[in-house]
Coordinates of all heavy atoms in Angstrom, one line a residue:
M1 N 0.6 7.1 7.0 CA -0.2 7.8 6.1 C 0.6 8.5 4.9 O 0.2 8.5 3.8 CB -1.0 8.8 6.9 CG -2.1 8.2 7.7 SD -3.3 7.2 6.8 CE -4.1 8.4 5.9
I2 N 1.8 9.0 5.3 CA 2.6 9.7 4.3 C 3.0 8.7 3.2 O 3.0 8.9 2.0 CB 3.9 10.3 5.0 CG1 3.4 11.5 5.8 CG2 4.9 10.7 4.0 CD1 4.5 12.1 6.7
A3 N 3.4 7.5 3.7 CA 3.8 6.4 2.7 C 2.7 6.0 1.9 O 2.9 5.9 0.6 CB 4.4 5.3 3.5
A4 N 1.5 5.9 2.4 CA 0.3 5.5 1.6 C 0.0 6.6 0.6 O -0.3 6.3 -0.6 CB -0.9 5.3 2.6
R5 N 0.0 7.8 1.0 CA -0.2 8.9 0.1 C 0.8 9.0 -1.0 O 0.4 9.1 -2.2 CB -0.2 10.3 0.8 CG -1.5 10.6 1.6 CD -1.4 12.0 2.2 NE -2.6 12.2 3.0 CZ -2.7 12.0 4.3 NH1 -1.7 11.5 4.9 NH2 -3.8 12.2 4.9
A6 N 2.0 8.8 -0.7 CA 3.1 8.8 -1.7 C 3.0 7.6 -2.7 O 3.1 7.8 -3.9 CB 4.5 8.7 -1.0
A7 N 2.7 6.4 -2.2 CA 2.5 5.3 -3.0 C 1.3 5.5 -4.0 O 1.5 5.2 -5.2 CB 2.3 4.0 -2.2
L8 N 0.2 6.0 -3.5 CA -1.0 6.3 -4.4 C -0.6 7.3 -5.4 O -1.0 7.2 -6.6 CB -2.2 6.7 -3.5 CG -2.8 5.5 -2.7 CD1 -3.9 6.1 -1.8 CD2 -3.4 4.5 -3.7
A9 N 0.1 8.4 -5.0 CA 0.4 9.4 -5.9 C 1.4 8.9 -7.0 O 1.2 9.3 -8.2 CB 1.0 10.6 -5.1
V10 N 2.3 8.1 -6.6 CA 3.3 7.6 -7.6 C 2.5 6.7 -8.6 O 2.7 6.7 -9.8 CB 4.5 6.9 -7.0 CG1 5.3 6.1 -8.0 CG2 5.4 7.9 -6.2
W11 N 1.6 5.9 -8.1 CA 0.8 5.0 -8.9 C 0.1 5.8 -10.0 O 0.0 5.4 -11.2 CB -0.2 4.2 -8.1 CG -1.1 3.3 -8.9 CD1 -2.4 3.7 -9.3 CD2 -0.8 2.1 -9.6 NE1 -2.9 2.6 -10.1 CE2 -1.9 1.7 -10.3 CE3 0.3 1.4 -9.6 CZ2 -2.0 0.5 -11.0 CZ3 0.3 0.1 -10.3 CH2 -0.8 -0.3 -11.0
R12 N -0.4 7.0 -9.6 CA -1.2 7.8 -10.6 C -0.2 8.5 -11.5 O -0.6 8.8 -12.6 CB -2.1 8.8 -9.8 CG -3.1 8.0 -8.9 CD -3.9 8.9 -8.1 NE -5.0 9.4 -8.9 CZ -5.7 10.5 -8.6 NH1 -5.3 11.3 -7.7 NH2 -6.7 10.8 -9.4
M13 N 0.9 9.0 -11.0 CA 1.9 9.8 -11.8 C 2.7 8.9 -12.7 O 2.9 9.2 -13.9 CB 2.8 10.6 -10.9 CG 2.2 11.6 -10.0 SD 3.4 12.2 -8.7 CE 4.7 12.8 -9.7
H14 N 3.3 7.9 -12.1 CA 4.3 7.0 -12.8 C 4.1 5.6 -12.4 O 4.8 5.0 -11.6 CB 5.7 7.4 -12.4 CG 6.1 8.8 -12.7 ND1 6.4 9.3 -14.0 CD2 6.3 9.9 -11.9 CE1 6.7 10.5 -13.9 NE2 6.6 10.9 -12.6
P15 N 3.0 4.9 -13.0 CA 2.7 3.6 -12.6 C 3.9 2.6 -12.7 O 4.1 1.7 -11.9 CB 1.6 3.1 -13.4 CG 1.2 4.3 -14.3 CD 2.1 5.4 -14.0
E16 N 4.8 2.9 -13.6 CA 6.0 2.1 -13.8 C 7.0 2.2 -12.7 O 7.8 1.3 -12.6 CB 6.7 2.4 -15.2 CG 7.4 3.7 -15.1 CD 6.6 5.0 -15.3 OE1 5.4 4.9 -15.4 OE2 7.2 6.1 -15.3
K17 N 6.9 3.2 -11.8 CA 7.8 3.3 -10.7 C 7.1 3.0 -9.4 O 7.7 3.0 -8.3 CB 8.2 4.8 -10.7 CG 9.1 5.1 -11.8 CD 9.7 6.5 -11.8 CE 10.5 6.8 -13.1 NZ 11.2 8.0 -12.9
Y18 N 5.8 2.6 -9.4 CA 5.1 2.2 -8.2 C 5.8 1.0 -7.4 O 6.1 1.1 -6.2 CB 3.7 1.8 -8.5 CG 3.0 1.2 -7.3 CD1 2.5 2.1 -6.3 CD2 2.9 -0.1 -7.1 CE1 1.8 1.6 -5.2 CE2 2.2 -0.6 -5.9 CZ 1.7 0.3 -5.0 OH 1.1 -0.2 -3.9
A19 N 6.2 0.0 -8.1 CA 6.8 -1.1 -7.5 C 8.1 -0.8 -6.7 O 8.3 -1.1 -5.6 CB 7.1 -2.3 -8.4
A20 N 8.9 0.1 -7.4 CA 10.1 0.5 -6.8 C 9.9 1.3 -5.5 O 10.6 1.1 -4.5 CB 11.0 1.3 -7.8
I21 N 9.0 2.3 -5.5 CA 8.8 3.1 -4.4 C 8.1 2.2 -3.3 O 8.4 2.4 -2.1 CB 8.0 4.4 -4.6 CG1 8.3 5.3 -3.5 CG2 6.5 4.2 -4.9 CD1 8.0 6.8 -3.8
H22 N 7.2 1.4 -3.6 CA 6.5 0.5 -2.7 C 7.5 -0.4 -2.0 O 7.6 -0.4 -0.7 CB 5.4 -0.4 -3.4 CG 4.8 -1.4 -2.5 ND1 3.8 -1.0 -1.6 CD2 5.1 -2.7 -2.3 CE1 3.5 -2.1 -0.9 NE2 4.2 -3.2 -1.3
D23 N 8.4 -1.0 -2.7 CA 9.4 -1.9 -2.1 C 10.4 -1.1 -1.2 O 10.7 -1.5 -0.1 CB 10.2 -2.6 -3.2 CG 9.5 -3.6 -3.9 OD1 8.3 -4.0 -3.4 OD2 9.9 -4.0 -5.0
A24 N 10.8 0.1 -1.6 CA 11.7 0.9 -0.9 C 11.0 1.4 0.4 O 11.6 1.4 1.5 CB 12.1 2.1 -1.7
L25 N 9.7 1.7 0.4 CA 9.0 2.2 1.6 C 8.8 1.0 2.5 O 8.9 1.2 3.8 CB 7.6 2.8 1.2 CG 7.7 4.1 0.5 CD1 6.4 4.5 -0.1 CD2 8.2 5.2 1.4
M26 N 8.5 -0.2 2.0 CA 8.3 -1.3 2.9 C 9.5 -1.9 3.5 O 9.5 -2.5 4.6 CB 7.5 -2.4 2.1 CG 6.2 -2.0 1.6 SD 5.0 -1.6 2.9 CE 4.7 -3.2 3.6
T27 N 10.6 -1.7 2.9 CA 11.9 -2.3 3.4 C 12.8 -1.4 4.0 O 13.8 -1.7 4.6 CB 12.7 -3.0 2.2 OG1 13.0 -2.1 1.2 CG2 11.8 -4.2 1.6
G28 N 12.5 -0.1 4.0 CA 13.3 0.9 4.6 C 13.3 0.9 6.1 O 12.4 0.3 6.7
R29 N 14.4 1.5 6.7 CA 14.5 1.4 8.1 C 14.2 2.9 8.6 O 14.5 3.8 7.9 CB 15.9 1.0 8.5 CG 16.3 -0.4 8.1 CD 16.0 -1.3 9.2 NE 16.4 -2.7 8.8 CZ 15.7 -3.7 9.0 NH1 14.5 -3.6 9.6 NH2 16.1 -4.9 8.8
G30 N 13.8 3.0 9.8 CA 13.5 4.3 10.4 C 12.2 4.8 10.1 O 11.4 4.2 9.4
A31 N 12.0 6.0 10.6 CA 10.7 6.7 10.5 C 10.5 7.2 9.0 O 11.4 7.5 8.4 CB 10.6 7.9 11.4
I32 N 9.3 7.1 8.6 CA 8.9 7.6 7.3 C 8.2 8.9 7.5 O 7.2 9.0 8.0 CB 7.9 6.6 6.5 CG1 8.6 5.3 6.3 CG2 7.5 7.2 5.2 CD1 7.7 4.2 5.7
D33 N 8.9 9.9 7.0 CA 8.4 11.3 7.1 C 8.5 11.9 5.7 O 8.9 11.3 4.8 CB 9.1 12.2 8.1 CG 10.6 12.3 7.9 OD1 11.1 12.0 6.8 OD2 11.3 12.7 8.8
E34 N 7.9 13.1 5.6 CA 7.9 13.7 4.3 C 9.3 13.9 3.7 O 9.5 13.6 2.5 CB 7.2 15.1 4.3 CG 6.9 15.7 3.0 CD 6.1 16.9 3.0 OE1 5.0 16.9 3.4 OE2 6.6 18.0 2.6
A35 N 10.2 14.3 4.4 CA 11.6 14.5 3.9 C 12.2 13.2 3.4 O 12.8 13.2 2.3 CB 12.5 15.1 5.0
S36 N 12.0 12.1 4.1 CA 12.6 10.8 3.6 C 11.8 10.3 2.4 O 12.5 9.8 1.5 CB 12.5 9.7 4.8 OG 11.2 9.4 5.1
V37 N 10.6 10.6 2.3 CA 9.8 10.2 1.1 C 10.2 11.0 -0.1 O 10.5 10.4 -1.2 CB 8.2 10.3 1.3 CG1 7.5 10.2 0.0 CG2 7.8 9.3 2.3
M38 N 10.4 12.2 0.1 CA 10.9 13.1 -1.0 C 12.3 12.8 -1.4 O 12.6 12.8 -2.6 CB 10.8 14.6 -0.6 CG 9.4 15.1 -0.4 SD 8.2 14.7 -1.8 CE 6.7 14.5 -0.9
A39 N 13.2 12.4 -0.5 CA 14.5 12.0 -0.8 C 14.5 10.7 -1.6 O 15.2 10.6 -2.6 CB 15.4 11.9 0.4
L40 N 13.7 9.8 -1.2 CA 13.5 8.5 -1.9 C 13.0 8.7 -3.3 O 13.5 8.2 -4.3 CB 12.6 7.6 -1.1 CG 12.2 6.3 -1.7 CD1 13.5 5.4 -2.0 CD2 11.2 5.5 -0.9
A41 N 12.0 9.6 -3.4 CA 11.4 9.9 -4.8 C 12.5 10.4 -5.7 O 12.6 10.0 -6.8 CB 10.3 10.9 -4.6
G42 N 13.3 11.4 -5.2 CA 14.4 11.9 -6.0 C 15.4 10.8 -6.5 O 15.8 10.8 -7.6
K43 N 15.7 9.9 -5.5 CA 16.6 8.8 -5.9 C 16.0 7.9 -7.0 O 16.7 7.3 -7.8 CB 16.9 7.9 -4.7 CG 17.8 8.6 -3.7 CD 18.1 7.7 -2.6 CE 18.9 8.4 -1.4 NZ 19.0 7.6 -0.2
L44 N 14.7 7.8 -7.1 CA 14.0 7.0 -8.0 C 13.6 7.7 -9.3 O 12.9 7.2 -10.2 CB 12.7 6.3 -7.4 CG 12.9 5.4 -6.2 CD1 11.6 5.0 -5.6 CD2 13.7 4.2 -6.7
G45 N 14.0 9.0 -9.4 CA 13.8 9.8 -10.6 C 12.4 10.3 -10.6 O 11.9 10.7 -11.7
I46 N 11.8 10.5 -9.5 CA 10.5 11.2 -9.4 C 10.7 12.6 -8.8 O 11.3 12.8 -7.8 CB 9.6 10.4 -8.4 CG1 9.3 8.9 -9.0 CG2 8.2 11.0 -8.3 CD1 8.8 7.9 -7.9
D47 N 10.1 13.6 -9.5 CA 10.2 14.9 -9.1 C 9.5 15.1 -7.7 O 8.3 15.0 -7.6 CB 9.6 15.8 -10.2 CG 9.6 17.3 -9.8 OD1 10.4 17.7 -8.9 OD2 8.7 18.1 -10.3
P48 N 10.3 15.4 -6.7 CA 9.7 15.6 -5.3 C 8.7 16.6 -5.3 O 7.6 16.4 -4.6 CB 10.9 16.0 -4.5 CG 12.1 15.4 -5.2 CD 11.8 15.6 -6.6
A49 N 8.8 17.8 -6.0 CA 7.8 18.8 -5.9 C 6.5 18.4 -6.6 O 5.4 18.6 -6.0 CB 8.3 20.1 -6.6
A50 N 6.6 17.6 -7.7 CA 5.4 17.1 -8.4 C 4.8 16.0 -7.4 O 3.5 16.0 -7.4 CB 5.8 16.5 -9.7
L51 N 5.6 15.2 -6.8 CA 5.0 14.2 -5.9 C 4.3 14.9 -4.7 O 3.1 14.4 -4.4 CB 6.1 13.3 -5.4 CG 5.7 12.2 -4.4 CD1 4.6 11.3 -4.9 CD2 6.8 11.4 -3.9
K52 N 4.9 15.9 -4.1 CA 4.2 16.5 -3.0 C 2.9 17.1 -3.4 O 1.9 17.0 -2.7 CB 5.2 17.7 -2.5 CG 4.7 18.3 -1.2 CD 5.7 19.3 -0.7 CE 5.1 19.9 0.6 NZ 6.1 20.8 1.3
K53 N 2.8 17.7 -4.6 CA 1.6 18.3 -5.1 C 0.6 17.1 -5.3 O -0.6 17.3 -5.0 CB 1.8 19.0 -6.4 CG 0.6 19.7 -7.0 CD 0.8 20.4 -8.2 CE -0.4 21.0 -8.8 NZ -0.2 21.7 -10.0
A54 N 1.0 16.0 -5.9 CA 0.1 14.9 -6.2 C -0.4 14.3 -4.9 O -1.6 13.9 -4.8 CB 0.8 13.8 -7.1
M55 N 0.4 14.2 -3.8 CA 0.0 13.7 -2.6 C -1.1 14.5 -1.9 O -1.9 14.0 -1.1 CB 1.2 13.6 -1.6 CG 2.2 12.5 -2.0 SD 3.7 12.5 -1.1 CE 3.2 12.3 0.6
A56 N -1.2 15.8 -2.2 CA -2.2 16.7 -1.7 C -3.5 16.7 -2.4 O -4.5 17.3 -2.0 CB -1.6 18.1 -1.6
D57 N -3.6 15.9 -3.5 CA -4.8 15.8 -4.3 C -5.9 15.2 -3.4 O -5.8 14.2 -2.8 CB -4.6 14.9 -5.4 CG -5.8 14.8 -6.4 OD1 -6.9 14.9 -5.9 OD2 -5.5 14.5 -7.5
P58 N -7.1 15.9 -3.3 CA -8.1 15.4 -2.4 C -8.6 14.0 -2.8 O -9.1 13.3 -1.9 CB -9.3 16.4 -2.7 CG -8.6 17.7 -3.2 CD -7.4 17.2 -3.9
E59 N -8.4 13.6 -4.1 CA -8.8 12.2 -4.4 C -8.0 11.2 -3.7 O -8.5 10.1 -3.4 CB -8.7 12.1 -6.0 CG -9.4 10.8 -6.4 CD -9.5 10.7 -7.9 OE1 -9.6 11.7 -8.6 OE2 -9.5 9.5 -8.4
I60 N -6.8 11.5 -3.4 CA -5.9 10.5 -2.6 C -6.6 10.4 -1.2 O -6.7 9.3 -0.7 CB -4.5 11.1 -2.5 CG1 -3.8 11.2 -3.8 CG2 -3.7 10.3 -1.5 CD1 -3.4 9.9 -4.5
E61 N -7.0 11.4 -0.6 CA -7.6 11.4 0.7 C -8.9 10.6 0.6 O -9.2 9.8 1.5 CB -7.9 12.7 1.3 CG -8.3 12.8 2.7 CD -7.2 12.2 3.6 OE1 -6.0 12.4 3.4 OE2 -7.6 11.5 4.6
T62 N -9.7 10.7 -0.4 CA -10.9 10.0 -0.6 C -10.6 8.5 -0.7 O -11.3 7.7 -0.1 CB -11.6 10.5 -1.9 OG1 -11.9 11.9 -1.8 CG2 -12.9 9.7 -2.1
I63 N -9.6 8.1 -1.5 CA -9.2 6.7 -1.6 C -8.8 6.1 -0.2 O -9.2 5.1 0.1 CB -8.1 6.5 -2.6 CG1 -8.5 6.9 -4.0 CG2 -7.5 5.1 -2.6 CD1 -7.4 7.1 -5.1
L64 N -8.0 6.9 0.5 CA -7.5 6.4 1.8 C -8.7 6.3 2.8 O -8.8 5.3 3.5 CB -6.5 7.3 2.4 CG -5.2 7.3 1.7 CD1 -4.2 8.3 2.2 CD2 -4.5 5.9 1.8
A65 N -9.6 7.2 2.8 CA -10.8 7.1 3.7 C -11.6 5.9 3.3 O -12.1 5.2 4.2 CB -11.6 8.4 3.5
K66 N -11.8 5.6 2.0 CA -12.6 4.5 1.6 C -11.9 3.2 2.0 O -12.6 2.3 2.5 CB -12.7 4.5 0.1 CG -13.6 3.4 -0.5 CD -13.7 3.5 -2.0 CE -14.4 2.3 -2.6 NZ -14.4 2.4 -4.1
N67 N -10.6 3.1 1.9 CA -9.9 1.9 2.4 C -10.0 1.8 3.9 O -10.1 0.6 4.4 CB -8.4 2.1 2.0 CG -8.2 1.9 0.5 OD1 -9.1 1.4 -0.2 ND2 -7.0 2.3 0.0
F68 N -9.9 2.8 4.6 CA -10.1 2.7 6.1 C -11.5 2.3 6.5 O -11.6 1.4 7.4 CB -9.8 4.1 6.8 CG -8.3 4.3 7.1 CD1 -7.5 5.0 6.3 CD2 -7.8 3.7 8.2 CE1 -6.2 5.2 6.6 CE2 -6.4 3.8 8.5 CZ -5.6 4.6 7.7
R69 N -12.5 2.7 5.8 CA -13.9 2.3 6.1 C -14.0 0.8 5.8 O -14.7 0.0 6.5 CB -14.9 3.1 5.3 CG -15.1 4.5 5.8 CD -16.3 5.2 5.2 NE -16.3 5.2 3.7 CZ -15.7 6.2 3.0 NH1 -15.1 7.2 3.6 NH2 -15.7 6.1 1.6
L70 N -13.4 0.3 4.7 CA -13.5 -1.1 4.3 C -12.8 -1.9 5.3 O -13.3 -2.9 5.8 CB -12.9 -1.3 2.9 CG -12.9 -2.8 2.4 CD1 -14.2 -3.4 2.4 CD2 -12.2 -2.8 1.1
A71 N -11.6 -1.5 5.8 CA -10.8 -2.2 6.7 C -11.6 -2.3 8.0 O -11.7 -3.3 8.7 CB -9.5 -1.6 6.9
D72 N -12.2 -1.2 8.5 CA -13.0 -1.1 9.7 C -14.2 -2.1 9.6 O -14.5 -2.9 10.5 CB -13.5 0.3 10.0 CG -14.2 0.4 11.3 OD1 -13.6 -0.1 12.3 OD2 -15.3 0.9 11.4
A73 N -14.9 -2.1 8.5 CA -16.0 -3.0 8.3 C -15.6 -4.5 8.3 O -16.4 -5.4 8.7 CB -16.7 -2.7 6.9
L74 N -14.3 -4.8 7.9 CA -13.8 -6.2 7.9 C -13.2 -6.5 9.2 O -12.7 -7.6 9.4 CB -12.9 -6.4 6.7 CG -13.5 -6.3 5.3 CD1 -12.5 -6.3 4.2 CD2 -14.5 -7.4 5.1
G75 N -13.0 -5.6 10.1 CA -12.4 -5.8 11.4 C -10.9 -5.9 11.3 O -10.2 -6.5 12.1
I76 N -10.3 -5.3 10.2 CA -8.9 -5.2 10.1 C -8.4 -3.9 10.7 O -8.8 -2.8 10.3 CB -8.5 -5.2 8.5 CG1 -9.0 -6.5 7.9 CG2 -7.0 -5.0 8.3 CD1 -8.9 -6.5 6.4
N77 N -7.4 -4.1 11.6 CA -6.9 -2.9 12.3 C -5.4 -2.8 12.2 O -4.8 -2.1 13.0 CB -7.4 -2.9 13.8 CG -6.9 -4.2 14.5 OD1 -6.1 -4.9 14.0 ND2 -7.4 -4.4 15.7
G78 N -4.8 -3.5 11.3 CA -3.4 -3.3 11.1 C -3.0 -4.0 9.8 O -3.7 -4.7 9.1
T79 N -1.7 -3.9 9.5 CA -1.1 -4.5 8.3 C 0.0 -5.4 8.8 O 0.6 -5.1 9.8 CB -0.6 -3.5 7.3 OG1 0.4 -2.7 7.9 CG2 -1.6 -2.6 6.8
P80 N 0.3 -6.4 8.1 CA -0.5 -6.9 6.9 C -1.8 -7.6 7.3 O -2.0 -8.0 8.4 CB 0.4 -7.9 6.2 CG 1.2 -8.5 7.3 CD 1.4 -7.4 8.3
A81 N -2.7 -7.7 6.4 CA -3.9 -8.5 6.5 C -4.2 -9.0 5.1 O -4.0 -8.4 4.2 CB -5.0 -7.7 7.1
F82 N -4.8 -10.2 5.1 CA -5.2 -10.8 3.8 C -6.6 -11.2 3.8 O -7.1 -11.6 4.9 CB -4.3 -12.1 3.6 CG -2.8 -11.8 3.6 CD1 -2.1 -11.9 4.7 CD2 -2.2 -11.4 2.4 CE1 -0.8 -11.6 4.7 CE2 -0.8 -11.2 2.4 CZ -0.1 -11.2 3.6
I83 N -7.2 -11.1 2.7 CA -8.6 -11.7 2.5 C -8.4 -12.8 1.5 O -8.1 -12.6 0.4 CB -9.6 -10.6 2.1 CG1 -9.6 -9.5 3.1 CG2 -10.9 -11.2 1.8 CD1 -10.4 -8.3 2.6
V84 N -8.7 -14.0 1.9 CA -8.6 -15.2 1.1 C -10.0 -15.8 1.1 O -10.4 -16.3 2.1 CB -7.6 -16.2 1.6 CG1 -7.4 -17.4 0.7 CG2 -6.2 -15.5 1.9
G85 N -10.6 -15.8 -0.1 CA -12.0 -16.3 -0.2 C -12.9 -15.4 0.7 O -12.9 -14.1 0.5
S86 N -13.5 -15.9 1.7 CA -14.4 -15.2 2.6 C -13.7 -15.0 3.9 O -14.4 -14.6 4.9 CB -15.7 -15.8 2.7 OG -15.6 -17.1 3.2
E87 N -12.5 -15.4 4.1 CA -11.8 -15.4 5.3 C -10.8 -14.2 5.5 O -10.0 -13.9 4.5 CB -11.0 -16.7 5.5 CG -10.3 -16.8 6.9 CD -9.7 -18.2 7.1 OE1 -9.9 -19.1 6.2 OE2 -9.0 -18.3 8.1
V88 N -10.9 -13.5 6.6 CA -9.9 -12.4 6.8 C -8.8 -13.0 7.7 O -9.1 -13.6 8.7 CB -10.6 -11.2 7.6 CG1 -9.6 -10.2 8.0 CG2 -11.8 -10.6 6.7
V89 N -7.6 -12.8 7.2 CA -6.4 -13.3 7.9 C -5.6 -12.2 8.4 O -4.9 -11.6 7.6 CB -5.6 -14.3 7.0 CG1 -4.5 -14.9 7.7 CG2 -6.5 -15.3 6.3
P90 N -5.7 -11.8 9.7 CA -4.8 -10.7 10.2 C -3.4 -11.1 10.4 O -3.1 -12.3 10.8 CB -5.6 -10.3 11.5 CG -6.2 -11.6 11.9 CD -6.5 -12.4 10.7
G91 N -2.5 -10.2 10.2 CA -1.1 -10.4 10.5 C -0.4 -11.2 9.4 O -0.9 -11.6 8.5
A92 N 0.9 -11.3 9.7 CA 1.8 -12.0 8.7 C 1.6 -13.5 8.8 O 1.4 -14.0 9.9 CB 3.2 -11.6 9.0
V93 N 1.6 -14.1 7.6 CA 1.5 -15.5 7.5 C 2.6 -16.0 6.6 O 3.0 -15.3 5.7 CB 0.2 -16.1 7.1 CG1 -0.9 -15.7 8.1 CG2 -0.2 -15.5 5.7
D94 N 3.1 -17.2 6.8 CA 4.2 -17.7 6.0 C 3.6 -18.2 4.6 O 2.4 -18.3 4.5 CB 5.0 -18.8 6.6 CG 4.1 -20.0 7.0 OD1 3.5 -20.6 6.1 OD2 4.0 -20.3 8.2
K95 N 4.5 -18.4 3.7 CA 4.1 -18.7 2.3 C 3.3 -20.0 2.3 O 2.2 -20.1 1.6 CB 5.3 -18.9 1.5 CG 5.1 -19.1 0.0 CD 6.4 -19.2 -0.8 CE 6.1 -19.6 -2.2 NZ 7.4 -19.6 -2.9
E96 N 3.7 -21.0 3.1 CA 2.9 -22.3 3.0 C 1.5 -22.1 3.6 O 0.6 -22.7 3.1 CB 3.7 -23.4 3.8 CG 5.0 -23.8 3.1 CD 4.8 -24.2 1.6 OE1 3.8 -25.0 1.3 OE2 5.5 -23.7 0.8
T97 N 1.4 -21.3 4.6 CA 0.0 -21.1 5.2 C -0.8 -20.4 4.2 O -2.0 -20.7 4.0 CB 0.1 -20.3 6.5 OG1 0.9 -21.0 7.4 CG2 -1.2 -20.0 7.1
L98 N -0.3 -19.4 3.5 CA -1.0 -18.6 2.5 C -1.4 -19.6 1.4 O -2.6 -19.5 0.9 CB -0.2 -17.4 2.0 CG -1.0 -16.4 1.3 CD1 -2.1 -15.8 2.0 CD2 0.0 -15.2 0.9
K99 N -0.5 -20.4 0.9 CA -0.8 -21.3 -0.2 C -2.0 -22.2 0.2 O -2.9 -22.5 -0.5 CB 0.4 -22.1 -0.6 CG 1.4 -21.3 -1.3 CD 2.7 -22.0 -1.5 CE 2.6 -23.1 -2.6 NZ 3.9 -23.7 -2.9
K100 N -2.0 -22.7 1.5 CA -3.0 -23.6 2.0 C -4.3 -22.9 2.1 O -5.4 -23.4 1.6 CB -2.7 -24.2 3.3 CG -3.7 -25.2 3.9 CD -3.4 -25.7 5.3 CE -4.4 -26.6 5.8 NZ -5.8 -26.3 5.6
L101 N -4.3 -21.6 2.5 CA -5.6 -20.9 2.6 C -6.2 -20.6 1.2 O -7.4 -20.7 1.0 CB -5.3 -19.5 3.3 CG -5.0 -19.6 4.8 CD1 -4.4 -18.2 5.2 CD2 -6.3 -19.8 5.5
I102 N -5.3 -20.4 0.3 CA -5.7 -20.2 -1.1 C -6.4 -21.4 -1.7 O -7.4 -21.5 -2.3 CB -4.6 -19.6 -2.0 CG1 -4.3 -18.2 -1.6 CG2 -5.1 -19.6 -3.4 CD1 -3.0 -17.6 -2.1
A103 N -5.7 -22.6 -1.5 CA -6.1 -23.9 -2.0 C -7.5 -24.2 -1.3 O -8.4 -24.7 -2.0 CB -5.1 -24.9 -1.7
D104 N -7.6 -24.0 0.0 CA -8.9 -24.3 0.6 C -10.0 -23.4 0.1 O -11.1 -23.9 -0.1 CB -8.7 -24.0 2.1 CG -7.8 -25.0 2.8 OD1 -7.5 -26.1 2.2 OD2 -7.5 -24.8 4.0
A105 N -9.7 -22.1 -0.2 CA -10.7 -21.2 -0.7 C -11.1 -21.7 -2.1 O -12.3 -21.6 -2.5 CB -10.2 -19.8 -0.8
R106 N -10.2 -22.2 -2.9 CA -10.5 -22.6 -4.2 C -11.4 -23.8 -4.3 O -12.2 -24.0 -5.2 CB -9.2 -22.8 -5.0 CG -8.6 -21.6 -5.5 CD -7.3 -21.8 -6.2 NE -6.7 -20.6 -6.7 CZ -5.5 -20.5 -7.2 NH1 -4.7 -21.5 -7.2 NH2 -5.1 -19.3 -7.6
R107 N -11.2 -24.7 -3.3 CA -12.1 -25.9 -3.1 C -13.5 -25.5 -2.7 O -14.4 -26.3 -2.9 CB -11.4 -26.8 -2.2 CG -10.3 -27.7 -2.7 CD -9.9 -28.8 -1.9 NE -9.2 -28.4 -0.7 CZ -7.9 -28.1 -0.6 NH1 -7.2 -28.2 -1.6 NH2 -7.4 -27.8 0.6
G108 N -13.6 -24.3 -2.1 CA -14.9 -23.8 -1.7 C -15.4 -24.3 -0.4 O -16.4 -24.4 0.0

């Protein structure tokens, strides 16, 4: 949840830095806690105090709650998950499988 809040806050504050923080959060090792997120933000040139304030914005919580409701309605209970056409694909899939699913969906 901390990582999700941070990513959404960065998207709103500095959209040009979203990909960098997203990649760092997804590829990092160890627990993600507030201290590690703030340290990462500082390394990426994002003011940690401003990020912490942005993460507390009630709109961030609203977005996350909406995403959880959608995931629940679709039967998604973890990440990653993909929606390809009308098919929900839970879990990680390799590139070739994903390409096939997309091709099949395009054929209808």
Side-chain angles (χ1 to χ4, degrees):
M1 290 300 294
I2 290 171
R5 281 187 184 90
L8 287 170
V10 169
W11 176 258
R12 298 174 89 207
M13 296 169 58
H14 301 288
E16 74 283 0
K17 294 184 180 188
Y18 173 80
I21 199 159
H22 174 80
D23 290 345
L25 290 168
M26 295 299 289
T27 59
R29 299 267 184 224
I32 297 175
D33 57 17
E34 187 174 296
S36 65
V37 168
M38 295 307 151
L40 175 61
K43 289 179 187 174
L44 296 173
I46 300 165
D47 176 22
L51 176 59
K52 186 173 182 175
K53 182 178 179 182
M55 288 170 62
D57 184 332
E59 193 170 331
I60 298 285
E61 193 61 37
T62 299
I63 292 167
L64 291 173
K66 182 179 176 183
N67 289 346
F68 272 100
R69 286 191 305 273
L70 178 59
D72 187 52
L74 295 171
I76 297 171
N77 59 11
T79 59
F82 302 91
I83 300 171
V84 183
S86 60
E87 186 175 352
V88 176
V89 183
V93 295
D94 61 62
K95 183 178 178 180
E96 291 308 313
T97 300
L98 194 53
K99 286 171 75 173
K100 182 182 181 318
L101 288 165
I102 292 168
D104 291 348
R106 286 181 174 164
R107 281 192 289 276

